[in-house]
Amino acid sequence: MNDSRLEAARAEARRLTGLGIRGVALTWVDNAGLTRVKAVPVARLAQVAGRGVGMSPVFDVYLVDDSITSSPHIGGPDGDLRLFPDLDRVTPLAAQPGWAWAPADRFDQQGRTHPACQRQFASRMAARAAERGIEMRMGFETEWVVARGTDRAGGADGARGAAGTRFAGAAGPAYGMARLVELSDYLGDVLDALATQGVDVLQIHPEYAPGQFEVSVSPADPVGAADLAVLVRETIRAVSVRHGLTALFGPVVTAGGVGNGCHVHLSLWREGRNLCRGGDGPFGMTRQSEAFLAGVLRELPALLAVGAPSVASYLRLEPSRWAGAYQCWGLENREAALRFVAGAPDDRAGANAEVKSFDAAANPYLAAGSLIAAGLAGIDADLTLPAPVAGDPVRGSGERRLPTSLPEALEHFTASAVLREALGDPLFEAIAAVRHAEAELFEGASPQEIADATRGRY
Ligand code: GLU
Ligand code: MG
């Protein structure tokens, strides 16, 4: 590390110490979609910025229940990686006094990029788009269900507690003001914490399912948006703990009910111009945006292994639940996997596309990078979009259902030349191994058992 970066790290450590920060949490998200952490005392931050923190590469093949599988390139107890905090993103955590957070990148002992580093994968894909003159903007929506007390379901001990779980804000109707009233202190604290951390919140509201809420934030560059997805989720979790509540982000909380999505909004920009509007493609999108979205639509069955990566994801991905279960697109159609939003005529930033099928079991860095890879492949092949779909595709004729199980999505993933090339073999194989092992893990489990074992894990 050069002297100026080292000096910047020392200055950052002094600033944090002055703010009363004692520890810095360095997070990465594994291929199972769980945010893992190593923390250091603030006094070590400069050293860590220079040399990183040691960690095992075996985390790349961890499963949702903390069991471990292996893959052709990664697995086993050997080897060491270095975890480096992104100093530009260090954030004091408002709901965890004394703590700051930084997302981390992973390198090997020689300082080379770890080929399976998910965050650097997202950054490589953003750079690929930039090579074509395209600046991507993305935003992840966060949905979660609030449970009263400690929801022991989904614990590593495999405790089952669905029957006894009480949801907070459950009495009020879907999208009901009554729910906001019941949890107004809690939701106010979520807003406060996010604002203190500099997160620009667009909306917060009760969702459809009992005890379910959603928060959405301003779009950012792909890596920044994925970082925000992590920060927003961990902030909600921390505020929940302070209120004696538990935030559940898993794809399904109650089998058979509406689940938690983690929809991804995206738009393409060039020199300050939004390419999702002002063109002569469908609903005003430019040709380039159309080809990009067509690439995403084409790759969706394979992309599901990244964006809907859990066995539980397929309990959520059902028709008529606004989850995007069909491989189609439409203008503001909440049942289409790809919802195009044209935006108001005077709202330059309003036009964008929303990928609805993804959920919070997805690693947001993998999700962002894979969507860009699929979209750029669409541009390279000069794809066009099929006719848009209006209304619920379940009632239409002939719309294609997306994979209905993890093994089915995995089959598409392993056959995807686009994703294999973009991810690179070590990362691609590790993801495939984790998906395969998780499918095996839940073989024979009932839907409610799957929901119980996963809903509190993400
Ligand atoms: N909860 C729904 C899902 O599973 C989404 C509801 C909405 O459109 O916001 O994706
Ligand atoms: Mg929602």
Side-chain angles (χ1 to χ4, degrees), residues 141-143 175 205 207 212-214 261 263 322 354 356:
E141 292 180 359
T142 301
E143 291 186 341
Y175 306 96
H205 63 264
E207 262 288 345
Q212 190 180 39
F213 293 86
E214 170 177 328
H263 307 167
W322 291 8
E354 178 188 35
K356 293 207 60 117

Side-chain angles (χ1 to χ4, degrees), residues 41-227:
V42 69
R44 285 192 74 82
L45 186 65
Q47 235 171 321
V48 163
R51 255 185 257 134
V53 178
M55 64 169 290
S56 166
V58 82
F59 286 113
D60 288 333
V61 286
Y62 263 52
L63 310 189
V64 63
D65 69 339
D66 292 341
S67 60
I68 302 169
T69 186
S70 68
S71 72
H73 304 265
I74 298 163
D78 313 309
D80 209 10
L81 296 173
R82 313 297 301 174
L83 199 58
F84 284 86
D86 184 339
L87 287 184
D88 295 332
R89 296 265 155 87
V90 177
T91 307
L93 294 171
Q96 288 172 257
W99 285 91
W101 163 84
D105 290 311
R106 297 184 298 151
F107 294 83
D108 69 12
Q109 294 285 21
Q110 280 69 45
R112 293 172 304 215
T113 290
H114 174 47
C117 175
Q118 299 89 347
R119 191 168 184 265
Q120 290 178 83
F121 161 66
S123 150
R124 272 199 306 281
M125 292 306 115
R128 266 195 197 181
E131 278 163 22
R132 290 164 168 83
I134 297 168
E135 188 198 324
M136 295 298 307
R137 302 188 69 187
M138 299 182 127
F140 291 83
E141 292 180 359
T142 301
E143 291 186 341
W144 78 102
V145 168
V146 187
R148 291 218 177 274
T150 312
D151 181 77
R152 284 174 52 74
D157 56 359
R160 303 270 187 259
T165 302
R166 289 179 307 132
F167 300 120
Y175 306 96
M177 179 63 186
R179 282 209 203 155
L180 197 124
V181 172
E182 188 188 331
L183 288 184
S184 43
D185 288 347
Y186 166 70
L187 296 168
D189 283 354
V190 169
L191 286 180
D192 259 359
L194 290 172
T196 307
Q197 293 167 186
V199 178
D200 187 28
V201 172
L202 298 173
Q203 272 193 43
I204 188 163
H205 63 264
E207 262 288 345
Y208 190 87
Q212 190 180 39
F213 293 86
E214 170 177 328
V215 78
S216 53
V217 300
S218 284
D221 66 282
V223 174
D227 286 342

